Amino acid sequence: MKSDNEIYREIAGACAASICWMIDSIVILDGELKIEGWAILSEGAFDDVVFAVNGTKFSRINYPLRSPDLAEHFYYFNNTENARFSCQIEIEKIPNRQYYCLEFIQNNNQAKAARTSWWYSTHQVVLPRFESERIGRVIGSNTNFNFELGGATLYNRIELYLQNKFAIRYADLSAILDWGCGAGRLLRHFDQLSGTEVYGADIDHDNLESCIEEFPFAKFSLLPLRPPTNLPEQYFDLIIGISVCTHLSEENQFLWLEELNRISKPGALVLLSVQGDAQSALYRESASLIRERDSKGFVVKGVNPEINGIIGKSDYYLDVIQTRENILTNWRRHFEVIEFLDGFAANQDLVVLRKRN
């Protein structure tokens, strides 16, 4: 049996490898872009590190900076006592694009940097700002910044992955479903598409009503707690479900996988996120929980109160964790499992599925 420290080092290694860094703030002031956060050096040397935006190096980089908070959180991993950064660059030096693509490049590993990039819209002012309570039900934090950064990053990471893996862009698809759209963190970025039908669906009627008002380009469906739904059969080319399966009992997962199979076209891609080792490290999960997960395959950590008051059922919305073996055994009944992407989706692992023809 693995010791506690062995487990902690293992999940911390997954976090360092797949998440690498996080941005705490982005400030645009007096013609400059400034970002701050933390970045864990897992390869190469500090002197080799590059922070870049849209392919251009930041003019002023302060890294590494002391980070006693991270050293305490990741006490079982190297280099965390010096992991904070602060970077600045003049806006006029940044190539003009719709998003700022922010990269942390270590050991000249461009592939890893592209995989762990963060995106931020250059036009944040035009995006609707939702009430903190609505945002909190989606991301567990009530800050618009985290909401906006996470949504832009999800949108761009997923499309870049689809391009590289399947030679597909969003615009190539006829119908996309954001399953569990919440307050539109991801969905809002699909407004730039033309010729592609975009759907949002959720059990949270309050957030859904706000989305209907704010995002007229999309169609919406209020979901029941359990299928069937009124969504059309064999309709969607792409279904994205971020932090939905992480809140469903195993029985409800099975029911919803069957429904997702019904509404997806043959050959459609279905992308669903789950809590993996990288997020477990961020949450600082106990070694005993990881052992229980590995032993049982599926564990309910507890009831999540965020949505239960809205849906009027106190034991539906949960926090769950499961093994990849559990997913491979059970989810293959409905879909082909293509691969797992560590820490890819809002720090959760992304399970890439395809409906069989």
Side-chain angles (χ1 to χ4, degrees):
M1 179 182 294
K2 294 178 182 176
S3 69
D4 287 6
N5 280 340
E6 286 175 324
I7 290 175
Y8 293 144
R9 289 192 184 96
E10 190 172 283
I11 64 176
C15 183
S18 59
I19 295 178
C20 303
W21 68 310
M22 297 189 73
I23 298 172
D24 294 333
S25 69
I26 297 176
V27 176
I28 300 172
L29 184 66
D30 296 332
E32 287 196 333
L33 172 71
K34 179 180 180 180
I35 67 171
E36 294 181 333
W38 57 262
I40 297 176
L41 185 71
S42 59
E43 56 180 277
F46 285 114
D47 291 343
D48 300 325
V49 164
V50 171
F51 289 88
V53 52
N54 291 352
T56 300
K57 295 180 181 179
F58 276 84
S59 304
R60 297 180 294 285
I61 299 173
N62 294 310
Y63 178 75
L65 301 174
R66 292 287 296 163
S67 52
D69 55 330
L70 293 171
E72 180 181 357
H73 187 97
F74 294 111
Y75 65 89
Y76 36 80
F77 197 78
N78 293 330
N79 297 323
T80 55
E81 69 280 0
N82 295 292
R84 291 209 165 270
F85 67 83
S86 175
C87 304
Q88 292 175 258
I89 186 173
E90 296 81 0
I91 297 291
E92 62 182 18
K93 293 183 178 179
I94 306 173
N96 188 21
R97 299 175 190 168
Q98 186 172 1
Y99 293 92
Y100 292 122
C101 176
L102 301 153
E103 294 180 300
F104 167 55
I105 308 169
Q106 46 184 321
N107 200 32
N108 200 32
N109 190 335
Q110 302 290 335
K112 186 173 184 178
R115 164 69 176 72
T116 60
S117 294
W118 292 86
W119 279 265
Y120 195 66
S121 175
T122 58
H123 306 290
Q124 287 299 312
V125 68
V126 304
L127 294 178
R129 299 179 71 83
F130 275 46
E131 294 178 7
S132 60
E133 181 182 345
R134 292 191 173 111
I135 290 174
R137 293 202 300 272
V138 176
I139 63 173
S141 165
N142 60 6
T143 63
N144 262 281
F145 169 74
N146 291 336
F147 189 77
E148 292 164 358
L149 179 66
T153 297
L154 282 167
Y155 180 84
N156 285 282
R157 274 187 189 169
I158 290 173
E159 182 166 50
L160 184 60
Y161 169 75
L162 293 174
Q163 285 182 258
N164 293 337
K165 182 72 176 183
F166 304 103
I168 293 173
R169 295 180 60 91
Y170 292 135
D172 300 328
L173 304 173
S174 61
I176 299 171
L177 171 64
D178 184 356
W179 177 52
C181 64
R185 171 177 55 164
L186 170 62
L187 181 138
R188 63 184 55 206
H189 295 277
F190 286 101
D191 66 346
Q192 54 201 282
L193 297 180
S194 60
T196 300
E197 285 190 289
V198 177
Y199 279 69
D202 207 290
I203 61 174
D204 182 341
H205 66 85
D206 179 63
N207 261 330
L208 201 69
E209 288 165 7
S210 295
C211 284
I212 291 171
E213 181 179 346
E214 296 289 354
F215 309 123
F217 65 89
K219 299 178 180 180
F220 294 93
S221 177
L222 178 63
L223 299 177
L225 298 187
R226 294 177 178 82
T229 71
N230 60 5
L231 293 168
E233 187 169 347
Q234 295 193 16
Y235 196 77
F236 297 101
D237 308 279
L238 175 65
I239 298 174
I240 303 171
I242 304 300
S243 197
V244 180
C245 291
T246 50
H247 300 296
L248 297 176
S249 68
E250 194 166 24
E251 177 187 358
N252 285 333
Q253 276 192 9
F254 298 159
L255 293 174
W256 279 109
L257 286 166
E258 184 176 358
E259 178 69 1
L260 295 180
N261 180 276
R262 183 188 71 81
I263 64 178
S264 58
K265 291 180 180 178
L269 293 169
V270 178
L271 313 179
L272 306 178
S273 73
V274 296
Q275 181 179 330
D277 283 348
Q279 191 174 53
S280 292
L282 291 178
Y283 285 176
R284 213 169 168 178
E285 302 284 25
S286 67
S288 60
L289 175 64
I290 302 301
R291 289 193 191 94
E292 185 180 7
R293 177 202 67 181
D294 293 344
S295 173
K296 295 180 178 178
F298 189 99
V299 175
V300 176
K301 298 194 292 180
V303 173
N304 187 308
E306 296 291 349
I307 292 181
N308 285 330
I310 294 291
I311 62 177
K313 191 168 176 61
S314 62
D315 59 350
Y316 178 86
Y317 201 66
L318 309 171
D319 286 326
V320 307
I321 187 170
Q322 60 199 114
T323 62
R324 292 188 175 181
E325 291 75 15
N326 174 276
I327 291 169
L328 289 170
T329 298
N330 295 303
W331 294 18
R332 276 177 173 167
R333 300 170 188 171
H334 303 287
F335 296 98
E336 176 189 1
V337 180
I338 302 296
E339 63 180 324
F340 295 84
L341 303 177
D342 297 344
F344 187 92
N347 306 319
Q348 296 181 351
D349 292 356
L350 193 68
V351 188
V352 181
L353 309 169
R354 181 162 50 199
K355 182 175 177 178
R356 300 178 184 89
N357 291 318

